[in-house]
Structure formats: C-alpha cells, structure tokens
Amino acid sequence: DTEVTQTPKHLVMGMTNKKSLKCEQHMGHRAMYWYKQKAKKPPELMFVYSYEKLSINESVPSRFSPECPNSSLLNLHLHALQPEDSALYLCASSREGNRGRIRDEKLFFGSGTQLSVL
Amino acid sequence: EDKVVQSPLSLVVHEGDTVTLNCSYEVTNFRSLLWYKQEKKAPTFLFMLTSSGIEKKSGRLSSILDKKELFSILNITATQTGDSAIYLCAVANTGTASKLTFGTGTRLQVTL
C-alpha cells in the first residue's frame, strides 16, 4: 500500500467555523507533512512531523493547528480562517529512520483537500 | 533562501513530439533534486537525482542533473495526451528534516 489518504476531498467553511483535515498512511513512514498550494503556484511547506513530534513550523498562523496522534495519522485543525486561506492542502509522508537521522526526501502525496473559506 | 526556477512556464505540443523541461536551482548544502508530475491533485514522484551526469530513465521519460551548472532537465519523448500535466521540480538540502523547495512548475499540454 503506497497510498496517502486525505479526507475530506472538498471543504467549504465560514470564517467562524472549526473544521479538521485528516491524513492517513500505512507505509510505515515516520515523517509526515502539510503543504499548502494556491492555484497555479507550487506547494509550500507548512509543517513537518518526525516520529510524531513537530520538527518544522514554517511560521504558519496559529489558526492552523497540526496534530499527529500516532505514526499513521496527521490532522490539521482549522479555526477562524480567512478567505485567503482558500487553497489545496496536501499531506505527504516519507521514510525516516534512526529517530530522524536517516532521511528520505522522496515524498508520497495525498490527493489533497480543496478548501474554500467564505 | 533556497530557490528553484523552471522553464518554460507552459508548453503546448503535438502528440509524438519530444519535449525538454528545465529546472535551475540555488540551494545551500544541496542534497537532491526531484521531479514530480501533478495531473489533478496529488503530485506523483518521477525521479530523484543526486549525482551529476547520471541519467535516470523510466519509459519515455528521462532526467539528468548537472551539479556544476546547477540545473536539471526532464525529457519526454513521443509525447502522449496522458503526459499533459504540471511538472514540478524540487530540491532538498542537507538540513535536519526532509524539506523540499518547489519550483513554480511547467504546465505541459499535449494535443492530438
């Protein structure tokens, strides 16, 4: 199974809503990522988790809150978003070993959640 | 700050043509360069290049890296309509986590 599964595929929310994006992989990967991709732009890194610990936060606003409950799951909690946060949110995973000292930069991406904030 | 520039930004070719996509980069402590194909949503992995001058090949696609001149090319021969997609180039540095910096992509359209 070489798949990264993201739910929901589409999400429309108001600026006062609270919602969560979910990501799951069963490849045994210990690094998981959230990327944001605006239309006609490249993916931009938001967060990296390594062995269920947050290792990179690319100065993302606190209205985005990541969570890694276990090695297979990654969530992104959304609260009080702005219309400019509308984008495709991509989850990815990669192998890591030796508690993060062995890295594999080959990322496997999910199909994303297309988010619209009204 | 790491930087990746791809050219052309978009390209329209006829089925059967050969295309060459370019990627140049500036990165501190280069580790690898990767090519991805993004058709609708999920970028799918094509190649990872770490050494200069060694061609990676998969069917009609091939890629090569020049670490001296800091660029890579992706070749697609005998293009098919199914090759229509955005092709993303990304670089990784030797930092403490697997962090990719992506280029803006080349949008390829293959017409009949």
Side-chain angles (χ1 to χ4, degrees):
Chain A
D1 185 359
T2 57
E3 212 172 71
V4 176
T5 304
Q6 289 187 243
T7 55
K9 293 194 186 311
H10 302 274
L11 179 62
V12 179
M13 60 186 291
M15 288 189 284
T16 58
N17 292 157
K18 283 186 181 181
K19 296 286 184 184
S20 296
L21 310 184
K22 297 186 182 302
C23 175
E24 189 169 4
Q25 57 87 15
H26 295 290
M27 294 178 278
H29 291 173
R30 302 309 294 272
M32 296 187 77
Y33 310 77
W34 281 114
Y35 278 83
K36 173 182 177 179
Q37 187 176 24
K38 301 279 276 184
K40 299 186 179 181
K41 297 286 188 183
E44 294 179 353
L45 182 66
M46 299 175 72
F47 302 104
V48 181
Y49 272 83
S50 175
Y51 285 80
E52 295 91 69
K53 288 188 176 6
L54 183 65
S55 61
I56 291 182
N57 175 343
E58 291 285 278
S59 302
V60 179
S62 60
R63 57 185 184 269
F64 295 92
S65 175
E67 178 196 20
C68 191
N70 61 54
S71 60
S72 299
L73 294 174
L74 184 67
N75 299 322
L76 186 63
H77 302 297
L78 314 173
H79 174 54
L81 293 195
Q82 304 296 311
E84 59 264 29
D85 296 322
S86 298
L88 178 67
Y89 288 84
L90 292 163
C91 173
S93 69
S94 68
R95 291 184 307 156
E96 274 198 6
N98 198 10
R99 302 304 297 184
R101 285 188 280 274
I102 298 173
R103 299 188 298 114
D104 184 350
E105 55 270 49
K106 178 180 168 183
L107 269 58
F108 291 80
F109 283 89
S111 295
T113 294
Q114 188 68 55
L115 174 68
S116 296
V117 182
L118 304 178
Chain B
E1 186 177 325
D2 297 345
K3 187 177 176 183
V4 179
V5 177
Q6 291 185 245
S7 64
L9 291 180
S10 66
L11 191 56
V12 181
V13 301
H14 290 111
E15 200 171 45
D17 289 350
T18 293
V19 297
T20 297
L21 310 183
N22 304 294
C23 175
S24 63
Y25 62 90
E26 296 173 21
V27 60
T28 306
N29 300 320
F30 175 87
R31 176 180 169 94
S32 61
L33 184 144
L34 297 93
W35 285 96
Y36 282 84
K37 177 183 182 182
Q38 187 172 25
E39 290 181 78
K40 290 180 181 176
K41 298 287 178 68
T44 53
F45 172 81
L46 296 175
F47 299 111
M48 184 167 76
L49 303 151
T50 56
S51 301
S52 273
I54 299 174
E55 185 182 52
K56 293 272 182 105
K57 197 169 171 64
S58 176
R60 296 176 294 103
L61 278 66
S62 63
S63 184
I64 198 161
L65 174 68
D66 185 328
K67 289 167 73 174
K68 182 179 176 185
E69 300 297 330
L70 307 182
F71 79 91
S72 173
I73 60 172
L74 175 68
N75 279 320
I76 308 175
T77 59
T79 52
Q80 302 171 357
T81 54
D83 296 325
S84 297
I86 296 171
Y87 290 84
L88 294 166
C89 174
V91 293
N93 60 32
T94 58
T96 56
S98 301
K99 177 178 171 179
L100 295 184
T101 300
F102 283 88
T104 51
T106 293
R107 182 180 293 271
L108 173 66
Q109 184 179 351
V110 182
T111 62
L112 291 171

